[in-house]
Amino acid sequence: MDRRWTVSTATVLVVGLVPGVAAAETATARTGSPGAPGIGDTYYPLDGNGGYQVEHYDLDVRYDPATDALSATAAIRAVATQDLSSFNLDFVGLDISELTVDGAAATFERDAGELTVTPAQWLPVDSEFTVTVTYEGVPETIETALGTIAGFIHTDDGALVVGQPDVAATWFPANDHPLDAATFDVALTVPEGLEALSNGELVSTETADGLSTWRWAAAEPMAPYLAVVAIGEFDVRAYEEAGLRYWDAFDPDLFTTPSNPEDPASPTLGEIAEASLARQPEVLDWLAGLGGPYPFVTAGGIVDDSTDLRFALETQTRPIYSPFFFTDQVFGDLVVVHELAHQWFGDDLRLGAWQDIWLNEGFATYAEWLWLEKEGLATAQQVFDDSYATVPADDPFWTVLPGDPGPDALFDGAVYNRGAMTLHALRQVIGDETFFAVVRAWAESQAGDTVSTDEFVALAEELSGRQLDDLFDAWLYTQEKPALG
Ligand code: TRP
Ligand code: ZN
């Protein structure tokens, strides 16, 4: 049914009262237009959507490891940024049994990862609306460009949900791009005896009829890909330090797995992971010296024993770690430093476009170099010199541009290492004092915001009073080994 608005509700009522063609002709049709199927990312044109912004995701998810099946209801509260006749959500696989907008049944169509919703009534710009989707099925696992798996990973005792840039749409309908951050409530219902982790604060756990529900609340807006789930057997440890509430989770099997398979007497993966995570308060305090106060009210980490998980990810307030990082204590500490550095650089400061991924990975890697320096294990200069010296000019490493790696090389080593080298090269040119002032001002002035490389360059130029285009061009955008200044 069309609703025709002219300039005010009163006019519409008048129009409604006047029968016939004349009224329809004089009334300006304002029925909205479809929201764009993508948010405008050059690398991933269909990621995210146009025409609205999400304020809150309320996810009520039930998962049964025995069948790998998930059944869920997602209530998504959003605000229209244009008059909308229809809008898209990103959603992959899973069968929808019911979909409403503001409680009224809406029609929908699906085409690959795009779910197009046509509400019964069009949505005026600036209006708030709630889409509620009920769905079920076995979530898809993602094959990454690196030949590993991500997304919804079915494990021996449960599931892990972890991925970047895509993951959210495999388990809930989302505006799946860091440009649109929202708060989250996640309720996970699992067979009694299993634990279920997510972001933020554990609000309650209750058990009835053989099922346990774990309710988590993430109070600070986050990008959908940063929503994490870990279901299985976990030793969950809640504690408070320096005013911050932590929830850590360790798979108990880690404590029976030696870190060196050749040496049964070596410390277990669990012992090393435990020691690295025990340093979280210290690491956050040290990082606050770099980027200003920790941006969130909760913290912690999740370590599963699944050998399918080959990465760590900076899931907001609660990174998730592959067991492979905890074969060595220094290595373990470094990954914790890396993921916690992302809480500022990547999570609180969010990418406006995936092309600028070096703003996440270069900063988190450089934090590792600074940590090595702080620990007295190597100076950042030494790490830079080593990285520079060991990669010859004709190595393909130098053909990947950290400032424009392309979607297939989004997580190439060059994004991490040449990204970190870029920061070190900047530090050499502008000096320590200005460099650390830039990093701090970057984190503080952009807190809670989306960021771009251009903004970072502009800030560095402003605070240093220098023209830095040549430096950033050479390090971020030239397929050549940069000369040392
Ligand atoms: N951003 C992660 C890190 O550097 C790495 C990563 C990239 C990742 N793609 C992923 C992790 C997919 C899990 C799944 O810490
Ligand atoms: Zn990273």
Side-chain angles (χ1 to χ4, degrees), residues 233-405:
E233 282 173 27
F234 285 101
D235 177 3
V236 180
R237 304 177 190 176
Y239 54 97
E240 186 170 328
E241 259 194 71
L244 199 56
R245 284 172 309 151
Y246 288 77
W247 280 269
D248 292 339
F250 300 89
D251 189 314
D253 291 344
L254 294 165
F255 294 92
T256 54
T257 314
S259 53
N260 177 356
E262 247 100 88
D263 177 9
S266 60
T268 63
L269 295 175
E271 285 168 312
I272 294 179
E274 207 171 35
S276 289
L277 266 61
R279 299 191 74 175
Q280 291 174 113
E282 178 193 352
V283 172
L284 288 178
D285 187 53
W286 174 77
L287 287 166
L290 222 83
Y294 178 66
F296 310 125
V297 295
T298 57
I302 300 168
V303 194
D304 194 76
D305 76 325
S306 168
T307 52
D308 285 334
L309 177 61
R310 301 263 164 177
F311 296 98
L313 189 66
E314 60 267 27
T315 40
Q316 191 159 306
T317 67
R318 191 147 303 117
I320 180 164
Y321 301 94
S322 160
F324 293 111
F325 290 108
F326 302 108
T327 51
D328 175 272
Q329 195 67 63
V330 172
F331 201 41
D333 293 357
L334 282 173
V335 71
V336 170
V337 168
H338 182 107
E339 303 313 332
L340 293 184
H342 275 310
Q343 302 303 307
W344 284 258
F345 309 106
D347 293 5
D348 190 37
L349 275 64
R350 297 181 297 273
L351 298 179
W354 284 111
Q355 178 185 333
D356 289 335
I357 184 71
W358 85 277
L359 289 173
N360 292 7
E361 301 308 343
F363 276 71
T365 304
Y366 198 60
E368 293 180 56
W369 297 11
L370 295 171
W371 176 262
L372 288 172
E373 180 161 321
K374 180 222 154 231
E375 293 281 281
L377 297 168
T379 63
Q381 184 66 45
Q382 282 168 337
V383 185
F384 175 91
D385 289 344
D386 274 8
S387 313
Y388 190 85
T390 53
V391 191
D394 59 0
D395 194 288
F397 175 88
W398 301 108
T399 64
V400 176
L401 303 178
D404 190 7

Side-chain angles (χ1 to χ4, degrees), residues 64-149:
D64 184 0
T67 58
D68 288 345
L70 170 152
S71 58
T73 300
I76 302 148
R77 195 175 77 230
V79 173
T81 54
Q82 66 176 65
D83 289 344
L84 282 172
S85 56
S86 66
F87 60 89
N88 279 21
L89 286 159
D90 303 307
F91 194 43
V92 178
L94 304 171
D95 298 315
I96 297 176
S97 57
E98 197 183 338
L99 193 154
T100 62
V101 176
D102 292 332
T107 57
F108 61 90
E109 272 169 52
R110 303 187 67 177
D111 182 8
E114 294 298 318
L115 164 64
T116 303
V117 177
T118 306
Q121 306 231 299
W122 64 277
L123 304 163
V125 62
D126 294 333
S127 64
E128 191 180 86
F129 61 96
T130 299
V131 197
T132 306
V133 187
T134 306
Y135 56 94
E136 66 183 340
V138 177
E140 279 177 23
T141 304
I142 295 170
E143 307 271 339
T144 74
L146 302 171
T148 54
I149 60 171

